[in-house]
Amino acid sequence: MTRKVKNIGVLTSGGDAPGMNAAIRSVVRSCTYYNLQCFGIHKGYEGLIEGDIRELNARSVRNIINKGGTFLKSARSQEFRTPEGRKKAYDNLVKYGIDGLVVIGGDGSFTGALKLSEEYGFPVVGIPGTIDNDINGTDYTIGYDTALNTVVDAIDKIRDTASSHNRLFLIEVMGRDAGDIALNAGIGAGAEEILIPEEDMGVDRLIESLKRSKKSGKTSSIIVVAEGDKSGKNIFELGEYVEEHLKGYEVRVSVLGHIQRGGAPSCYDRVLASKLGVGAVEALLAGKTEVMIGVVHKNITEVPLRTALEKKKYKHDKLIKVADITSI
Ligand code: ATP
């Protein structure tokens, strides 16, 4: 028989992502709606271990839906990786009477949540919050859409200077081992070439392709490089290689970095976060545990956390073809 959940804790963990605030807000207000108490845990698992926990009500989360970052703050906790750390965390959950936990974060945060569940039978539900869109079992993660728009906006601006000076820009974007941001932002910003970890085109093919572009009349080029790209060269080495092998262009390198994580969440991310927050509370209320709330073909879904932790399989073929055709 499942125990009825009465007090829900919520935390954000790992890298922050735009839309995390909207997810917290949704969890808190779902608790109000279902007559549950909600506790905000500050600084992720670190705050759980330290007991940095405060009760939240519907008014505590006003005016945050439009804000980037996470007002609960996030952290990476080494101590939570140890059984002793998780024992302290569990003791604090018991101390506050929390009987269900919503973890908003990426795969590391979900691994930690699973351990808490396995070791103490504590009910946990995950919400995917990371700009990388690298979580299995959901089409989108919270923050990804905003990051895409930020990247496209930045590339548009870089293109203005690239085309004014006959320059070739290599632009590194985030995504870790996933090429989703690079591929989609690259298409959206009209990049000439896109290097992603899932498809190693090789530097020589890149040079040949750039030569063809130049021959066809292009006077500037944008190459989007995913940070996990498998060319074997970091972006600065790649820039030097291109400059050596392709005459007639000034090559510049731009690493977009943390601007991709910040900013007001897009409407898509706000709505997604709101839906996943409601889904997470409803899942805990229904006695579910060790699940992640995600979105598949626009439907809110529950998948086992273990499935969410499997490597995501990307089907990029069609998009790669679109990129090839539209960059001719
Ligand atoms: P992002 O995708 O933004 O990096 P993440 O959730 O993957 O987010 P991590 O730093 O990998 O970020 O994990 C967040 C926290 O989850 C860690 O700081 C740690 O406290 C906890 N965690 C990660 N892996 C484990 C593990 N194997 N066992 C216990 N806890 C873990």
Side-chain angles (χ1 to χ4, degrees):
M1 204 183 81
T2 52
R3 226 166 6 114
K4 178 129 173 52
V5 170
K6 293 201 182 81
N7 303 319
I8 287 180
V10 58
L11 60 80
T12 46
S13 169
D16 64 301
M20 279 184 162
N21 277 326
I24 299 164
R25 172 181 179 270
S26 172
V27 168
V28 172
R29 293 192 171 173
S30 300
C31 286
T32 304
Y33 181 83
Y34 287 112
N35 291 318
L36 308 169
Q37 263 188 312
C38 191
F39 292 89
I41 299 154
H42 289 240
K43 296 183 276 135
Y45 293 125
E46 193 177 303
L48 190 53
I49 289 170
E50 291 167 0
D52 194 351
I53 299 170
R54 269 161 257 179
E55 197 177 334
L56 298 174
N57 61 42
R59 298 285 76 74
S60 322
V61 289
R62 68 181 141 205
N63 295 333
I64 64 166
I65 193 168
N66 54 334
K67 302 261 175 16
T70 157
F71 94 106
L72 285 179
K73 306 211 182 292
S74 188
R76 302 194 195 264
S77 163
Q78 281 309 320
E79 201 179 353
F80 193 77
R81 292 174 182 269
T82 66
E84 297 75 25
R86 292 194 291 277
K87 168 82 171 73
K88 285 188 203 165
Y90 174 70
D91 287 346
N92 276 326
L93 288 166
V94 173
K95 182 172 156 194
Y96 282 84
I98 298 171
D99 43 20
L101 182 65
V102 178
V103 172
I104 306 167
D107 54 353
S109 306
F110 293 168
T111 305
L114 258 184
K115 293 209 166 158
L116 199 61
S117 168
E118 284 162 0
E119 288 166 1
Y120 297 99
F122 199 87
V124 293
V125 170
I127 293 180
T130 162
I131 65 164
D132 299 333
N133 207 30
D134 58 352
I135 303 289
N136 190 44
T138 183
D139 290 345
Y140 298 108
T141 56
I142 295 169
Y144 167 66
D145 182 69
T146 307
L148 266 188
N149 287 307
T150 303
V151 171
V152 167
D153 187 47
I155 299 176
D156 285 349
K157 288 178 173 135
I158 290 172
R159 184 181 286 286
D160 288 345
T161 174
S163 54
S164 304
H165 292 276
N166 283 9
R167 277 183 182 153
L168 184 149
F169 263 89
L170 285 108
I171 304 171
E172 186 184 275
V173 304
M174 283 183 167
R176 287 198 294 198
D177 292 331
D180 257 22
I181 293 181
L183 187 53
N184 286 279
I187 292 173
E192 275 66 35
E193 297 293 341
I194 305 166
L195 306 188
I196 57 172
E198 296 88 345
E199 202 216 20
D200 178 16
M201 83 181 297
V203 283
D204 296 323
R205 255 177 65 207
L206 171 69
I207 300 292
E208 286 316 308
S209 177
L210 289 169
K211 281 183 181 162
R212 275 198 304 278
S213 295
K214 200 159 186 288
K215 234 180 178 170
S216 77
K218 292 198 183 191
T219 53
S220 65
S221 280
I222 299 284
I223 307 171
V224 174
V225 184
E227 64 181 343
D229 145 66
K230 300 277 190 294
S231 68
K233 296 184 190 301
N234 71 37
I235 189 152
F236 295 99
E237 294 165 347
L238 200 58
E240 281 169 19
Y241 188 88
V242 172
E243 197 153 48
E244 261 171 44
H245 291 82
L246 190 78
K247 301 296 169 208
Y249 276 134
E250 279 180 68
V251 176
R252 292 287 183 275
V253 171
S254 182
V255 177
L256 294 189
H258 282 82
I259 62 160
Q260 296 164 89
R261 287 246 197 104
S266 65
C267 181
Y268 181 86
D269 273 330
R270 297 180 200 192
V271 174
L272 176 66
S274 301
K275 292 199 276 194
L276 300 188
V278 172
V281 171
E282 288 182 345
L284 282 170
L285 265 179
K288 306 273 177 66
T289 181
E290 296 190 1
V291 293
M292 176 189 77
I293 311 301
V295 60
V296 177
H297 302 314
K298 295 191 179 163
N299 297 314
I300 299 304
T301 52
E302 288 169 11
V303 292
L305 272 180
R306 281 182 191 82
T307 306
L309 289 175
E310 287 167 13
K311 194 161 170 48
K312 189 168 183 171
K313 291 180 199 77
Y314 293 92
K315 294 187 200 96
H316 284 328
D317 305 14
K318 285 186 184 147
L319 267 188
I320 290 173
K321 189 174 174 197
V322 170
D324 287 345
I325 291 174
T326 56
S327 64
I328 281 176

